[in-house]
DNA sequence: TCAATATTTGACGAAATTGTCCAAACTTAA
DNA sequence: TTAAGTTTGGACAATTTCGTCAAATATTGA
């Protein structure tokens, strides 16, 4: 099964729009090579990138954030046996907090 | 509503067992002051602590991991609007991967 | 209270992380 | 093939993070 990380996702979006790294990176106010590394998963994305990315890639912020979160959780907690329960607990607490 | 972080949780467990920081820290092979900071939320816990903690605190590893994960997700992603969806997506991917 | 034990604080250094710069490698179109 | 534009690699500095150490403070029990 293919692993679709955050980097692959924004690369695909960027290529669909035929935007060069140069332009997107400038819009995010980071170096071209930094963005290149983020897209290839060599470095993690900063949360600061998410909103600008959703604008310049014309992609729903919800989709971008969701992909970002799922990817980071995988990387951070992938090795833990009880991850599923942990996620459920986090959701539960979140729901309580919202009220 | 009270915030029950990972630190508060292990502190409570430790006090219930009347164990001094000194002993638990030694078992985790870290400095007393490091554990003190972790318990007070001044520093994050390392995943390496989880298994030893479950042993010396005689607490189910699942509970410890779950608390750890929920707490870290809160801290890492608390500011994102679409966290709930992100968690759901992470769970979905996890389920797929398990197969 | 006093002494022993437990906990917290803050300065410190080592190591990891983050992003930049610029040169090398790759791609594309004429 | 060449030239222009794009992407990648890696050395580097700045910043942040992680844990230790030792001193200060707090707690406990006799």
């Amino acid at each position: 099964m293919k692993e679709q990380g955050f980097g692959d996702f924004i690369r695909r979006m960027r290529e669909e729009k035929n935007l060069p790294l140069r332009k997107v990176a400038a819009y995010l106010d980071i170096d071209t090579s930094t963005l290149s590394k983020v897209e290839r998963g060599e470095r993690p994305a900063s949360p600061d990138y998410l909103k600008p990315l959703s604008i310049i890639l014309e992609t729903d912020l919800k989709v971008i954030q969701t992909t970002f979160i799922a990817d980071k959780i995988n990387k951070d907690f992938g090795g833990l046996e009880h991850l599923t329960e942990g996620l459920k607990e986090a959701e539960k607490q979140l729901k309580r907090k919202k009220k």
PDB file of all heavy atoms in Angstrom, chain C residues 8-20:
ATOM      1  P    DT C   8       8.354  19.398  42.655  1.00  0.00           P
ATOM      2  OP1  DT C   8       6.964  19.901  42.640  1.00  0.00           O
ATOM      3  OP2  DT C   8       8.793  18.375  41.701  1.00  0.00           O
ATOM      4  O5'  DT C   8       9.319  20.676  42.533  1.00  0.00           O
ATOM      5  C5'  DT C   8       9.161  21.724  43.469  1.00  0.00           C
ATOM      6  C4'  DT C   8      10.171  22.822  43.222  1.00  0.00           C
ATOM      7  O4'  DT C   8      11.502  22.321  43.465  1.00  0.00           O
ATOM      8  C3'  DT C   8      10.189  23.391  41.798  1.00  0.00           C
ATOM      9  O3'  DT C   8      10.094  24.799  41.926  1.00  0.00           O
ATOM     10  C2'  DT C   8      11.533  22.926  41.228  1.00  0.00           C
ATOM     11  C1'  DT C   8      12.377  22.826  42.488  1.00  0.00           C
ATOM     12  N1   DT C   8      13.523  21.878  42.490  1.00  0.00           N
ATOM     13  C2   DT C   8      14.782  22.327  42.836  1.00  0.00           C
ATOM     14  O2   DT C   8      15.014  23.481  43.118  1.00  0.00           O
ATOM     15  N3   DT C   8      15.760  21.350  42.846  1.00  0.00           N
ATOM     16  C4   DT C   8      15.599  20.007  42.549  1.00  0.00           C
ATOM     17  O4   DT C   8      16.550  19.231  42.596  1.00  0.00           O
ATOM     18  C5   DT C   8      14.260  19.603  42.185  1.00  0.00           C
ATOM     19  C7   DT C   8      13.977  18.190  41.842  1.00  0.00           C
ATOM     20  C6   DT C   8      13.301  20.547  42.173  1.00  0.00           C
ATOM     21  P    DT C   9       9.824  25.720  40.643  1.00  0.00           P
ATOM     22  OP1  DT C   9       8.846  26.752  41.056  1.00  0.00           O
ATOM     23  OP2  DT C   9       9.555  24.839  39.488  1.00  0.00           O
ATOM     24  O5'  DT C   9      11.229  26.425  40.395  1.00  0.00           O
ATOM     25  C5'  DT C   9      11.932  26.986  41.495  1.00  0.00           C
ATOM     26  C4'  DT C   9      13.341  27.347  41.070  1.00  0.00           C
ATOM     27  O4'  DT C   9      14.190  26.178  41.149  1.00  0.00           O
ATOM     28  C3'  DT C   9      13.461  27.873  39.637  1.00  0.00           C
ATOM     29  O3'  DT C   9      13.928  29.208  39.700  1.00  0.00           O
ATOM     30  C2'  DT C   9      14.458  26.920  38.953  1.00  0.00           C
ATOM     31  C1'  DT C   9      15.150  26.251  40.127  1.00  0.00           C
ATOM     32  N1   DT C   9      15.598  24.836  39.941  1.00  0.00           N
ATOM     33  C2   DT C   9      16.882  24.481  40.299  1.00  0.00           C
ATOM     34  O2   DT C   9      17.686  25.278  40.741  1.00  0.00           O
ATOM     35  N3   DT C   9      17.180  23.156  40.116  1.00  0.00           N
ATOM     36  C4   DT C   9      16.343  22.168  39.626  1.00  0.00           C
ATOM     37  O4   DT C   9      16.726  21.013  39.514  1.00  0.00           O
ATOM     38  C5   DT C   9      15.009  22.613  39.267  1.00  0.00           C
ATOM     39  C7   DT C   9      14.037  21.631  38.728  1.00  0.00           C
ATOM     40  C6   DT C   9      14.709  23.905  39.439  1.00  0.00           C
ATOM     41  P    DG C  10      13.914  30.187  38.460  1.00  0.00           P
ATOM     42  OP1  DG C  10      13.639  31.531  38.979  1.00  0.00           O
ATOM     43  OP2  DG C  10      13.056  29.595  37.412  1.00  0.00           O
ATOM     44  O5'  DG C  10      15.419  30.126  37.960  1.00  0.00           O
ATOM     45  C5'  DG C  10      16.475  30.303  38.878  1.00  0.00           C
ATOM     46  C4'  DG C  10      17.795  29.945  38.226  1.00  0.00           C
ATOM     47  O4'  DG C  10      17.977  28.509  38.248  1.00  0.00           O
ATOM     48  C3'  DG C  10      17.901  30.338  36.745  1.00  0.00           C
ATOM     49  O3'  DG C  10      19.232  30.736  36.508  1.00  0.00           O
ATOM     50  C2'  DG C  10      17.599  29.046  36.020  1.00  0.00           C
ATOM     51  C1'  DG C  10      18.308  28.069  36.951  1.00  0.00           C
ATOM     52  N9   DG C  10      17.892  26.692  36.822  1.00  0.00           N
ATOM     53  C8   DG C  10      16.659  26.215  36.451  1.00  0.00           C
ATOM     54  N7   DG C  10      16.601  24.910  36.427  1.00  0.00           N
ATOM     55  C5   DG C  10      17.871  24.504  36.803  1.00  0.00           C
ATOM     56  C6   DG C  10      18.402  23.210  36.955  1.00  0.00           C
ATOM     57  O6   DG C  10      17.843  22.133  36.798  1.00  0.00           O
ATOM     58  N1   DG C  10      19.738  23.249  37.352  1.00  0.00           N
ATOM     59  C2   DG C  10      20.466  24.397  37.564  1.00  0.00           C
ATOM     60  N2   DG C  10      21.733  24.248  37.923  1.00  0.00           N
ATOM     61  N3   DG C  10      19.973  25.610  37.426  1.00  0.00           N
ATOM     62  C4   DG C  10      18.672  25.592  37.043  1.00  0.00           C
ATOM     63  P    DA C  11      19.605  31.677  35.282  1.00  0.00           P
ATOM     64  OP1  DA C  11      19.515  33.061  35.800  1.00  0.00           O
ATOM     65  OP2  DA C  11      18.859  31.294  34.057  1.00  0.00           O
ATOM     66  O5'  DA C  11      21.136  31.298  35.086  1.00  0.00           O
ATOM     67  C5'  DA C  11      21.930  30.984  36.235  1.00  0.00           C
ATOM     68  C4'  DA C  11      23.008  29.977  35.853  1.00  0.00           C
ATOM     69  O4'  DA C  11      22.443  28.633  35.818  1.00  0.00           O
ATOM     70  C3'  DA C  11      23.628  30.207  34.470  1.00  0.00           C
ATOM     71  O3'  DA C  11      25.012  29.930  34.563  1.00  0.00           O
ATOM     72  C2'  DA C  11      22.900  29.185  33.579  1.00  0.00           C
ATOM     73  C1'  DA C  11      22.710  28.039  34.561  1.00  0.00           C
ATOM     74  N9   DA C  11      21.587  27.153  34.268  1.00  0.00           N
ATOM     75  C8   DA C  11      20.316  27.526  33.934  1.00  0.00           C
ATOM     76  N7   DA C  11      19.492  26.517  33.740  1.00  0.00           N
ATOM     77  C5   DA C  11      20.285  25.402  33.964  1.00  0.00           C
ATOM     78  C6   DA C  11      20.017  24.024  33.920  1.00  0.00           C
ATOM     79  N6   DA C  11      18.810  23.519  33.616  1.00  0.00           N
ATOM     80  N1   DA C  11      21.032  23.180  34.187  1.00  0.00           N
ATOM     81  C2   DA C  11      22.228  23.684  34.475  1.00  0.00           C
ATOM     82  N3   DA C  11      22.607  24.966  34.559  1.00  0.00           N
ATOM     83  C4   DA C  11      21.577  25.776  34.287  1.00  0.00           C
ATOM     84  P    DC C  12      26.044  30.294  33.414  1.00  0.00           P
ATOM     85  OP1  DC C  12      27.306  30.701  34.060  1.00  0.00           O
ATOM     86  OP2  DC C  12      25.357  31.189  32.455  1.00  0.00           O
ATOM     87  O5'  DC C  12      26.274  28.893  32.672  1.00  0.00           O
ATOM     88  C5'  DC C  12      26.799  27.816  33.423  1.00  0.00           C
ATOM     89  C4'  DC C  12      26.630  26.539  32.648  1.00  0.00           C
ATOM     90  O4'  DC C  12      25.238  26.163  32.640  1.00  0.00           O
ATOM     91  C3'  DC C  12      27.022  26.613  31.177  1.00  0.00           C
ATOM     92  O3'  DC C  12      28.316  26.046  31.020  1.00  0.00           O
ATOM     93  C2'  DC C  12      25.934  25.818  30.441  1.00  0.00           C
ATOM     94  C1'  DC C  12      25.049  25.291  31.558  1.00  0.00           C
ATOM     95  N1   DC C  12      23.603  25.255  31.232  1.00  0.00           N
ATOM     96  C2   DC C  12      22.954  24.024  31.147  1.00  0.00           C
ATOM     97  O2   DC C  12      23.612  22.989  31.326  1.00  0.00           O
ATOM     98  N3   DC C  12      21.641  23.985  30.855  1.00  0.00           N
ATOM     99  C4   DC C  12      20.960  25.122  30.666  1.00  0.00           C
ATOM    100  N4   DC C  12      19.665  25.042  30.404  1.00  0.00           N
ATOM    101  C5   DC C  12      21.600  26.401  30.760  1.00  0.00           C
ATOM    102  C6   DC C  12      22.907  26.412  31.035  1.00  0.00           C
ATOM    103  P    DG C  13      29.052  26.086  29.602  1.00  0.00           P
ATOM    104  OP1  DG C  13      30.506  26.121  29.874  1.00  0.00           O
ATOM    105  OP2  DG C  13      28.418  27.122  28.752  1.00  0.00           O
ATOM    106  O5'  DG C  13      28.712  24.667  28.984  1.00  0.00           O
ATOM    107  C5'  DG C  13      28.994  23.490  29.731  1.00  0.00           C
ATOM    108  C4'  DG C  13      28.551  22.282  28.935  1.00  0.00           C
ATOM    109  O4'  DG C  13      27.099  22.263  28.880  1.00  0.00           O
ATOM    110  C3'  DG C  13      29.021  22.279  27.479  1.00  0.00           C
ATOM    111  O3'  DG C  13      29.310  20.925  27.148  1.00  0.00           O
ATOM    112  C2'  DG C  13      27.815  22.827  26.720  1.00  0.00           C
ATOM    113  C1'  DG C  13      26.655  22.299  27.542  1.00  0.00           C
ATOM    114  N9   DG C  13      25.442  23.098  27.515  1.00  0.00           N
ATOM    115  C8   DG C  13      25.343  24.468  27.521  1.00  0.00           C
ATOM    116  N7   DG C  13      24.101  24.898  27.505  1.00  0.00           N
ATOM    117  C5   DG C  13      23.344  23.736  27.478  1.00  0.00           C
ATOM    118  C6   DG C  13      21.945  23.570  27.458  1.00  0.00           C
ATOM    119  O6   DG C  13      21.061  24.428  27.451  1.00  0.00           O
ATOM    120  N1   DG C  13      21.592  22.213  27.446  1.00  0.00           N
ATOM    121  C2   DG C  13      22.482  21.175  27.448  1.00  0.00           C
ATOM    122  N2   DG C  13      21.967  19.948  27.420  1.00  0.00           N
ATOM    123  N3   DG C  13      23.791  21.327  27.472  1.00  0.00           N
ATOM    124  C4   DG C  13      24.157  22.625  27.488  1.00  0.00           C
ATOM    125  P    DA C  14      30.036  20.554  25.790  1.00  0.00           P
ATOM    126  OP1  DA C  14      31.340  19.948  26.111  1.00  0.00           O
ATOM    127  OP2  DA C  14      29.952  21.716  24.856  1.00  0.00           O
ATOM    128  O5'  DA C  14      29.069  19.424  25.240  1.00  0.00           O
ATOM    129  C5'  DA C  14      28.451  18.519  26.169  1.00  0.00           C
ATOM    130  C4'  DA C  14      27.364  17.753  25.457  1.00  0.00           C
ATOM    131  O4'  DA C  14      26.148  18.556  25.433  1.00  0.00           O
ATOM    132  C3'  DA C  14      27.679  17.431  24.004  1.00  0.00           C
ATOM    133  O3'  DA C  14      27.186  16.118  23.759  1.00  0.00           O
ATOM    134  C2'  DA C  14      26.936  18.509  23.202  1.00  0.00           C
ATOM    135  C1'  DA C  14      25.735  18.800  24.101  1.00  0.00           C
ATOM    136  N9   DA C  14      25.230  20.171  24.076  1.00  0.00           N
ATOM    137  C8   DA C  14      25.950  21.328  24.082  1.00  0.00           C
ATOM    138  N7   DA C  14      25.213  22.411  24.084  1.00  0.00           N
ATOM    139  C5   DA C  14      23.920  21.934  24.099  1.00  0.00           C
ATOM    140  C6   DA C  14      22.666  22.578  24.104  1.00  0.00           C
ATOM    141  N6   DA C  14      22.519  23.909  24.113  1.00  0.00           N
ATOM    142  N1   DA C  14      21.563  21.804  24.104  1.00  0.00           N
ATOM    143  C2   DA C  14      21.712  20.473  24.099  1.00  0.00           C
ATOM    144  N3   DA C  14      22.830  19.751  24.097  1.00  0.00           N
ATOM    145  C4   DA C  14      23.910  20.549  24.091  1.00  0.00           C
ATOM    146  P    DA C  15      27.397  15.430  22.345  1.00  0.00           P
ATOM    147  OP1  DA C  15      27.632  13.996  22.593  1.00  0.00           O
ATOM    148  OP2  DA C  15      28.354  16.245  21.550  1.00  0.00           O
ATOM    149  O5'  DA C  15      25.953  15.587  21.695  1.00  0.00           O
ATOM    150  C5'  DA C  15      24.818  15.223  22.472  1.00  0.00           C
ATOM    151  C4'  DA C  15      23.573  15.565  21.702  1.00  0.00           C
ATOM    152  O4'  DA C  15      23.302  16.988  21.807  1.00  0.00           O
ATOM    153  C3'  DA C  15      23.649  15.255  20.210  1.00  0.00           C
ATOM    154  O3'  DA C  15      22.462  14.560  19.896  1.00  0.00           O
ATOM    155  C2'  DA C  15      23.726  16.639  19.544  1.00  0.00           C
ATOM    156  C1'  DA C  15      22.954  17.502  20.545  1.00  0.00           C
ATOM    157  N9   DA C  15      23.294  18.917  20.579  1.00  0.00           N
ATOM    158  C8   DA C  15      24.534  19.493  20.554  1.00  0.00           C
ATOM    159  N7   DA C  15      24.505  20.802  20.618  1.00  0.00           N
ATOM    160  C5   DA C  15      23.162  21.109  20.698  1.00  0.00           C
ATOM    161  C6   DA C  15      22.464  22.337  20.791  1.00  0.00           C
ATOM    162  N6   DA C  15      23.059  23.521  20.817  1.00  0.00           N
ATOM    163  N1   DA C  15      21.112  22.279  20.843  1.00  0.00           N
ATOM    164  C2   DA C  15      20.515  21.082  20.813  1.00  0.00           C
ATOM    165  N3   DA C  15      21.057  19.864  20.724  1.00  0.00           N
ATOM    166  C4   DA C  15      22.397  19.950  20.672  1.00  0.00           C
ATOM    167  P    DA C  16      22.191  13.989  18.442  1.00  0.00           P
ATOM    168  OP1  DA C  16      21.814  12.574  18.617  1.00  0.00           O
ATOM    169  OP2  DA C  16      23.284  14.402  17.528  1.00  0.00           O
ATOM    170  O5'  DA C  16      20.863  14.787  18.042  1.00  0.00           O
ATOM    171  C5'  DA C  16      19.844  14.952  19.022  1.00  0.00           C
ATOM    172  C4'  DA C  16      18.842  15.962  18.546  1.00  0.00           C
ATOM    173  O4'  DA C  16      19.392  17.292  18.674  1.00  0.00           O
ATOM    174  C3'  DA C  16      18.425  15.797  17.077  1.00  0.00           C
ATOM    175  O3'  DA C  16      17.018  15.905  17.038  1.00  0.00           O
ATOM    176  C2'  DA C  16      19.143  16.959  16.373  1.00  0.00           C
ATOM    177  C1'  DA C  16      19.201  18.017  17.476  1.00  0.00           C
ATOM    178  N9   DA C  16      20.295  18.977  17.400  1.00  0.00           N
ATOM    179  C8   DA C  16      21.626  18.708  17.243  1.00  0.00           C
ATOM    180  N7   DA C  16      22.388  19.779  17.239  1.00  0.00           N
ATOM    181  C5   DA C  16      21.491  20.826  17.407  1.00  0.00           C
ATOM    182  C6   DA C  16      21.663  22.222  17.481  1.00  0.00           C
ATOM    183  N6   DA C  16      22.840  22.819  17.397  1.00  0.00           N
ATOM    184  N1   DA C  16      20.554  22.976  17.642  1.00  0.00           N
ATOM    185  C2   DA C  16      19.356  22.363  17.742  1.00  0.00           C
ATOM    186  N3   DA C  16      19.069  21.068  17.672  1.00  0.00           N
ATOM    187  C4   DA C  16      20.198  20.340  17.508  1.00  0.00           C
ATOM    188  P    DT C  17      16.225  15.774  15.640  1.00  0.00           P
ATOM    189  OP1  DT C  17      14.947  15.085  15.948  1.00  0.00           O
ATOM    190  OP2  DT C  17      17.144  15.264  14.600  1.00  0.00           O
ATOM    191  O5'  DT C  17      15.890  17.308  15.311  1.00  0.00           O
ATOM    192  C5'  DT C  17      15.594  18.174  16.383  1.00  0.00           C
ATOM    193  C4'  DT C  17      15.179  19.535  15.847  1.00  0.00           C
ATOM    194  O4'  DT C  17      16.334  20.410  15.806  1.00  0.00           O
ATOM    195  C3'  DT C  17      14.579  19.554  14.436  1.00  0.00           C
ATOM    196  O3'  DT C  17      13.462  20.423  14.483  1.00  0.00           O
ATOM    197  C2'  DT C  17      15.736  20.090  13.571  1.00  0.00           C
ATOM    198  C1'  DT C  17      16.440  21.022  14.544  1.00  0.00           C
ATOM    199  N1   DT C  17      17.896  21.248  14.342  1.00  0.00           N
ATOM    200  C2   DT C  17      18.400  22.529  14.444  1.00  0.00           C
ATOM    201  O2   DT C  17      17.687  23.497  14.654  1.00  0.00           O
ATOM    202  N3   DT C  17      19.758  22.633  14.275  1.00  0.00           N
ATOM    203  C4   DT C  17      20.645  21.603  14.043  1.00  0.00           C
ATOM    204  O4   DT C  17      21.836  21.825  13.922  1.00  0.00           O
ATOM    205  C5   DT C  17      20.054  20.283  13.958  1.00  0.00           C
ATOM    206  C7   DT C  17      20.926  19.104  13.714  1.00  0.00           C
ATOM    207  C6   DT C  17      18.722  20.169  14.112  1.00  0.00           C
ATOM    208  P    DT C  18      12.466  20.623  13.251  1.00  0.00           P
ATOM    209  OP1  DT C  18      11.127  20.892  13.812  1.00  0.00           O
ATOM    210  OP2  DT C  18      12.668  19.510  12.293  1.00  0.00           O
ATOM    211  O5'  DT C  18      12.981  21.959  12.575  1.00  0.00           O
ATOM    212  C5'  DT C  18      12.887  23.189  13.301  1.00  0.00           C
ATOM    213  C4'  DT C  18      13.540  24.291  12.510  1.00  0.00           C
ATOM    214  O4'  DT C  18      14.966  24.106  12.528  1.00  0.00           O
ATOM    215  C3'  DT C  18      13.130  24.302  11.028  1.00  0.00           C
ATOM    216  O3'  DT C  18      12.404  25.485  10.768  1.00  0.00           O
ATOM    217  C2'  DT C  18      14.455  24.229  10.263  1.00  0.00           C
ATOM    218  C1'  DT C  18      15.481  24.601  11.324  1.00  0.00           C
ATOM    219  N1   DT C  18      16.817  23.970  11.152  1.00  0.00           N
ATOM    220  C2   DT C  18      17.937  24.761  11.219  1.00  0.00           C
ATOM    221  O2   DT C  18      17.878  25.968  11.394  1.00  0.00           O
ATOM    222  N3   DT C  18      19.127  24.092  11.060  1.00  0.00           N
ATOM    223  C4   DT C  18      19.301  22.734  10.842  1.00  0.00           C
ATOM    224  O4   DT C  18      20.414  22.261  10.728  1.00  0.00           O
ATOM    225  C5   DT C  18      18.081  21.964  10.798  1.00  0.00           C
ATOM    226  C7   DT C  18      18.157  20.489  10.571  1.00  0.00           C
ATOM    227  C6   DT C  18      16.919  22.605  10.947  1.00  0.00           C
ATOM    228  P    DG C  19      11.666  25.637   9.333  1.00  0.00           P
ATOM    229  OP1  DG C  19      10.469  26.459   9.548  1.00  0.00           O
ATOM    230  OP2  DG C  19      11.554  24.314   8.687  1.00  0.00           O
ATOM    231  O5'  DG C  19      12.732  26.501   8.509  1.00  0.00           O
ATOM    232  C5'  DG C  19      13.109  27.774   8.999  1.00  0.00           C
ATOM    233  C4'  DG C  19      14.387  28.229   8.333  1.00  0.00           C
ATOM    234  O4'  DG C  19      15.434  27.285   8.622  1.00  0.00           O
ATOM    235  C3'  DG C  19      14.314  28.315   6.797  1.00  0.00           C
ATOM    236  O3'  DG C  19      14.619  29.641   6.392  1.00  0.00           O
ATOM    237  C2'  DG C  19      15.349  27.308   6.322  1.00  0.00           C
ATOM    238  C1'  DG C  19      16.294  27.227   7.510  1.00  0.00           C
ATOM    239  N9   DG C  19      17.071  25.987   7.558  1.00  0.00           N
ATOM    240  C8   DG C  19      16.585  24.698   7.558  1.00  0.00           C
ATOM    241  N7   DG C  19      17.524  23.792   7.594  1.00  0.00           N
ATOM    242  C5   DG C  19      18.704  24.526   7.617  1.00  0.00           C
ATOM    243  C6   DG C  19      20.047  24.099   7.661  1.00  0.00           C
ATOM    244  O6   DG C  19      20.490  22.946   7.681  1.00  0.00           O
ATOM    245  N1   DG C  19      20.939  25.177   7.683  1.00  0.00           N
ATOM    246  C2   DG C  19      20.566  26.495   7.661  1.00  0.00           C
ATOM    247  N2   DG C  19      21.548  27.396   7.681  1.00  0.00           N
ATOM    248  N3   DG C  19      19.319  26.915   7.629  1.00  0.00           N
ATOM    249  C4   DG C  19      18.437  25.885   7.603  1.00  0.00           C
ATOM    250  P    DT C  20      14.721  30.037   4.866  1.00  0.00           P
ATOM    251  OP1  DT C  20      14.021  31.327   4.759  1.00  0.00           O
ATOM    252  OP2  DT C  20      14.351  28.910   4.005  1.00  0.00           O
ATOM    253  O5'  DT C  20      16.294  30.297   4.698  1.00  0.00           O
ATOM    254  C5'  DT C  20      16.978  31.086   5.660  1.00  0.00           C
ATOM    255  C4'  DT C  20      18.436  31.263   5.253  1.00  0.00           C
ATOM    256  O4'  DT C  20      19.139  30.015   5.438  1.00  0.00           O
ATOM    257  C3'  DT C  20      18.627  31.651   3.781  1.00  0.00           C
ATOM    258  O3'  DT C  20      19.618  32.675   3.716  1.00  0.00           O
ATOM    259  C2'  DT C  20      19.098  30.363   3.115  1.00  0.00           C
ATOM    260  C1'  DT C  20      19.804  29.632   4.257  1.00  0.00           C
ATOM    261  N1   DT C  20      19.733  28.152   4.201  1.00  0.00           N
ATOM    262  C2   DT C  20      20.893  27.419   4.243  1.00  0.00           C
ATOM    263  O2   DT C  20      21.992  27.928   4.314  1.00  0.00           O
ATOM    264  N3   DT C  20      20.720  26.056   4.198  1.00  0.00           N
ATOM    265  C4   DT C  20      19.518  25.359   4.121  1.00  0.00           C
ATOM    266  O4   DT C  20      19.495  24.141   4.086  1.00  0.00           O
ATOM    267  C5   DT C  20      18.340  26.195   4.072  1.00  0.00           C
ATOM    268  C7   DT C  20      16.993  25.548   3.987  1.00  0.00           C
ATOM    269  C6   DT C  20      18.495  27.528   4.114  1.00  0.00           C
TER     270       DT C  20
END
